[in-house]
């Protein structure tokens, strides 16, 4: 697994994220309209910065988890492929209500990510600019081969990383340049392992429209001090109650054998307390790991649980692996 080692063991891996949905929202009323639809506070998002957020329903359930980038002319929103259409539909409803414009950029752009300790070196070599001081929520706009490029410092693996947005016509050329600079292409299967090790939930797999936003471990995506938005009443009520009934967490198994997503999680005394959503064997930990929803009373890391028929596991704090992203980030 050369691609796994490239990301985890001090190199750099290249991941194609072009399947994710990408929207540009602009207009003089963009901040106001977005703020009424989204859980985080767009008024506090400075230019060339990004923040996580979520689009909830009026019942506080999840339409899509997103990343919002503040550009000079508006906002760039990207989300999992599975929530792309729902997020686009949610935002587009307001295009006739004022100076608020939405453009779907997905088909006309490519999104490539370089992940690993050497990511900064690889990206700097390709773009000929210093990026080591770019903050963890930082965004840098530049030109490459006469194409506009947006570079976003972000992790999808718990390792340092940079996402690069460019028009589709230059996507293959940029991929080759990054490969020539020693970024190892990462397969979808290996990326899935890295994602689970990093404790990053995926829409359609670990969260969907049946989940209340606060169940999904998206704590950084919610502001409790901003003004009114769709679903706020439910989300704030849960916060004031103290906790959700269940929450997404990590599980580490005593066996290295396969465990199926969807498996029921039981307490040590046989009570049904949750369900697995994503599973993988972690080469770094030499153990099978999983993401899953567990009832609040059993969330304490190290709590013993059982997966049918009799596979033992313990709950675990996320992320499972704290890579180079965390070295200078607390």
């Amino acid at each position: 697994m050369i691609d796994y080692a490239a990301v985890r063991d001090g190199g750099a891996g290249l991941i194609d994220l072009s399947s994710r949905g990408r929207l540009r929202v602009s207009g003089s009323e963009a901040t106001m309209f977005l703020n009424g639809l989204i859980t985080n506070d767009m008024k506090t998002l400075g230019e060339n910065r990004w923040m996580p957020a979520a689009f909830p329903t009026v019942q506080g359930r999840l339409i899509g988890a997103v990343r919002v980038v503040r550009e000079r002319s508006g906002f760039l929103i990207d989300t999992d492929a599975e929530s792309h259409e729902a997020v686009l539909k949610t935002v587009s409803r307001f295009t006739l209500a004022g100076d608020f414009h939405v453009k779907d950029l997905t088909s006309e752009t490519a999104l490539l990510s370089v992940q690993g300790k050497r990511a900064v070196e690889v990206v700097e070599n390709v773009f000929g600019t210093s990026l080591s001081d770019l903050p963890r929520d930082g965004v840098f706009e530049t030109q490459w081969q006469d194409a506009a490029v947006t570079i976003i410092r972000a992790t999808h693996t718990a390792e340092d990383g940079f996402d690069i947005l460019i028009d589709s016509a230059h996507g293959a050329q940029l991929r080759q340049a990054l490969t020539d600079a020693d970024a190892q292409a990462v397969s979808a299967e290996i990326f899935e392992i890295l994602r689970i090790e990093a404790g990053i939930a995926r829409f359609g797999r670990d969260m969907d429209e049946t989940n209340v936003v606060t169940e999904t471990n998206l704590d950084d995506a919610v502001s409790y001090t901003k003004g009114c938005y769709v679903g706020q009443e439910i989300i704030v009520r849960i916060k004031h109650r103290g906790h959700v009934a269940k929450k997404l967490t990590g599980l580490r198994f005593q066996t290295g054998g396969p465990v199926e997503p969807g498996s029921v999680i039981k307490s040590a005394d046989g009570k049904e307390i949750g369900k697995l959503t994503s599973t993988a064997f972690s080469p770094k930990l030499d153990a099978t790991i999983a993401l899953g929803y567990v009832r609040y009373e059993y969330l304490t890391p190290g709590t013993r649980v059982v997966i049918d028929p009799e596979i033992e596991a313990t709950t675990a704090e996320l992320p499972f692996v704290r890579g180079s992203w965390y070295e200078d980030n607390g």
Side-chain angles (χ1 to χ4, degrees):
M1 298 195 299
I2 298 172
D3 44 352
Y4 179 87
V7 176
R8 276 283 175 256
D9 298 337
L14 176 60
I15 302 167
D16 194 336
L17 299 177
S18 299
S19 63
R20 290 178 62 85
R22 291 174 292 284
L23 318 174
R24 179 164 284 134
V25 175
S26 59
S28 62
E29 296 177 294
T31 302
M32 180 187 71
F33 277 111
L34 262 188
N35 239 16
L37 297 171
I38 209 164
T39 55
N40 224 333
D41 194 348
M42 298 299 100
K43 295 194 303 293
T44 67
L45 184 56
E47 189 175 317
N48 289 327
R49 290 290 190 273
W50 67 268
M51 63 167 54
F55 284 92
T57 66
V58 291
Q59 295 83 22
R61 300 189 182 276
L62 187 67
I63 295 170
V66 302
R67 170 176 59 190
V68 186
V69 173
R70 186 71 163 97
E71 303 178 310
R72 282 192 297 271
S73 57
F75 300 90
L76 174 68
I77 299 173
D78 82 300
T79 188
D80 287 307
E82 293 83 356
S83 51
H84 170 208
E85 289 300 326
V87 169
L88 176 60
K89 183 178 179 181
T90 299
V91 176
S92 296
R93 285 185 296 136
F94 295 89
T95 54
L96 299 179
D99 187 15
F100 182 73
H101 312 285
V102 179
K103 184 177 183 181
D104 190 351
L105 304 176
T106 307
S107 62
E108 60 191 65
T109 55
L111 184 65
L112 302 176
S113 185
V114 183
Q115 298 279 303
K117 199 162 189 175
R118 288 189 58 220
V120 65
E121 176 188 333
V122 168
V123 178
E124 284 179 345
N125 285 344
V126 170
F127 292 98
T129 188
S130 176
L131 294 165
S132 57
D133 291 333
L134 192 67
R136 288 295 196 267
D137 63 346
V139 179
F140 180 75
E141 295 184 57
T142 187
Q143 293 281 128
W144 185 78
Q145 306 292 341
D146 298 322
V149 171
T150 301
I151 300 173
I152 305 163
R153 195 163 202 171
T155 187
H156 304 277
T157 61
E159 304 292 345
D160 196 7
F162 297 85
D163 292 354
I164 307 160
L165 180 72
I166 195 168
D167 68 83
S168 297
H170 289 82
Q173 193 177 357
L174 177 58
R175 169 184 278 275
Q176 187 60 55
L178 292 166
T179 302
D180 291 345
D182 211 20
Q184 174 69 46
V186 175
S187 69
E189 294 75 18
I190 293 299
F191 178 41
E192 183 71 354
I193 295 171
L194 294 164
R195 174 189 74 82
I196 296 169
E197 288 180 339
I200 296 174
R202 177 178 152 195
F203 194 91
R205 180 72 59 85
D206 308 295
M207 52 187 178
D208 57 30
E209 63 281 350
T210 67
N211 293 113
V212 176
V213 170
T214 43
E215 294 175 346
T216 57
N217 214 26
L218 297 172
D219 301 339
D220 292 343
V222 180
S223 168
Y224 291 99
T225 58
K226 64 174 284 188
C228 186
Y229 61 89
V230 172
Q232 181 192 34
E233 184 179 346
I234 303 295
I235 292 169
V236 170
R237 187 188 307 161
I238 292 171
K239 170 77 169 176
H240 289 161
R241 190 175 69 193
H243 60 79
V244 286
K246 63 179 179 180
K247 194 164 187 175
L248 190 70
T249 191
L251 297 105
R252 183 167 177 168
F253 293 85
Q254 310 303 316
T255 174
V259 182
E260 291 300 315
S263 298
V264 170
I265 305 168
K266 293 185 176 182
S267 63
D269 58 358
K271 296 176 184 173
E272 187 171 322
I273 60 169
K275 187 172 287 187
L276 300 182
T277 56
S278 290
T279 65
F281 179 79
S282 166
K284 184 78 172 179
L285 303 176
D286 193 28
T288 296
I289 57 174
L291 302 177
Y293 287 92
V294 173
R295 273 173 40 187
Y296 179 81
E297 312 92 271
Y298 300 90
L299 285 173
T300 303
T303 301
R304 192 169 75 84
V305 299
V306 179
I307 312 301
D308 282 341
E310 290 184 356
I311 303 171
E312 292 193 2
T314 53
T315 55
E317 188 176 4
L318 296 175
F320 291 101
V321 176
R322 294 179 68 87
S324 53
W325 180 257
Y326 295 90
E327 288 180 2
D328 302 311
N329 200 33

